[in-house]
Amino acid sequence: MLGLDATPGISKTNLWACMGLGFLGTTVITFLPAGQPYILNEVLGLSAGDLGRITGYLQIAAEVALILSLTWYGALADRIGRRPVAVAGLLLCAAGAALYPFAGNAAVLVALRVLFALGIAALHVTMSAITADYVRDRTRGRAYGWLGLFSGIGAVIAVLVLVRLPSMLEQGGMEPIAAARTGFLIVAALVVVGALALRFTLSPSWGVTETPRVPLTRLIGEGVRLARDPGVALSYAASFVARADLALVASFLSLWIVDYARSVRGMSATEALAKSGAIVGIAYTVIVVGAPLFGWLGDRMQRQHVVILAQAVAAAAYLSTLLVSDPLGPGMMLVAAFIGLGEIGVITTAGPLLAQQVPARYRGSSFGVQVLCGAIGIFVVSGVGGWLYDLWRPAAPFALSGACGLLVVLFGLAVRRRVVPHPEVVAAERAGEPAA
């Protein structure tokens, strides 16, 4: 299926379900931050001067929840299996999205963003671990490329279609608050239906640690100790920046465009949100195209080298936002395209690098720590970037992320010759069996 070499016991249905998880998970993960400006403006009625700080606070609250839960999710996925954790993550995201437009104040919105973040944590861990489980190492880069493709399609649908639901309902005669609530409830219902379908199509057995059962604390500790391997450390560092990049596109790029469209161009909230969706949609359209490209490169280059290449592209793209003066102009469209290319490049290549460096019994734990590094990255970049957005300029969060990306490139160049695949993974690949 799609040129992938599945591990024994994995069917085509399981592989399609894996891609479906990437599609559905990324759709809902992208939808809520992209639709958040509409909630802040139309439901809560916040002033323009508070938008950057409130967006930063919401992102920080979400990242605290992620940081506190990610390693436990990873260890739990090794203990009870990937499927129940993935389905639970979708249901938590659906609950958060359904309740989000009913928040009466910013404090309630923060609590709901935390609930949503707990679902995101489960999805981030299981999407990566399931993809690594289901295919053998020789086509793992391609598998992550296809996962990125399906995830990119989900993101495009989120920003070009689902985010516009409140606007379309408002144009149909609904009041803004009613339109927001109805649109978010529709998305939540779709996610619940998808979660039920994946409950019966994902493999029930993969990711369960064999007896004797390893304590969760030991699984978490192993995920952390694996960072002594240079390849694992590079993957963790790349995730630190890549997840922050994803959050910037979903939250701060949308906020920058909406804020500029309303305050400078005099557009309404719904018109500004539509403009935001169109420009952010360019980034996610490039993600759809770029994911298979980097997946293909990941199976033909040494994995650490393709990670360094992707990170360099991402860093250059984010730093180029400092040259943008009109976020509604053609310059921003070009920048958005390169942002999408660099972002998907790092996300697509960091996973296969980590998978080749760790044994399967600790794969969930290691991916949990990898996503934890990404959560810390989002915490730092969104927290500091939110203040800089208000105090300096809207491009500040992107410039900060670009500078962090350059540091990862330098680290990768320093350790690239010391990255050696884990012997267990190499032996399993030669024997034609999954590493366990």
Side-chain angles (χ1 to χ4, degrees), residues 293-368:
L293 170 63
F294 277 100
W296 179 81
L297 287 174
D299 288 334
R300 284 159 178 78
M301 294 173 59
Q302 289 187 319
R303 297 243 161 92
Q304 64 270 29
H305 291 163
V306 74
V307 168
I308 295 169
L309 172 64
Q311 187 64 79
V313 173
Y318 278 86
L319 288 172
S320 68
T321 59
L322 292 171
L323 304 176
V324 175
S325 58
D326 180 5
L328 297 179
M332 176 57 91
M333 295 180 184
L334 182 62
V335 169
F338 278 98
I339 282 176
L341 184 64
E343 176 187 314
I344 195 57
V346 180
I347 292 174
T348 300
T349 57
L353 174 62
L354 180 60
Q356 79 169 17
Q357 300 300 124
V358 300
R361 64 184 178 276
Y362 296 130
R363 193 173 287 151
S365 302
S366 64
F367 276 108

Side-chain angles (χ1 to χ4, degrees), residues 4 29 34 42 51 57 96 109 113 146 156 173 201 281 299 317 387 406:
L4 303 179
I29 289 171
E42 297 300 315
L51 291 177
Y57 291 149
L109 205 65
R113 188 65 188 269
W146 285 119
V156 169
T201 53
D299 288 334
W387 281 97
L406 286 180

Side-chain angles (χ1 to χ4, degrees), residues 14-27:
N14 298 146
L15 287 172
W16 281 116
C18 173
M19 301 303 154
L21 176 63
F23 169 81
L24 185 62
T26 307
T27 298

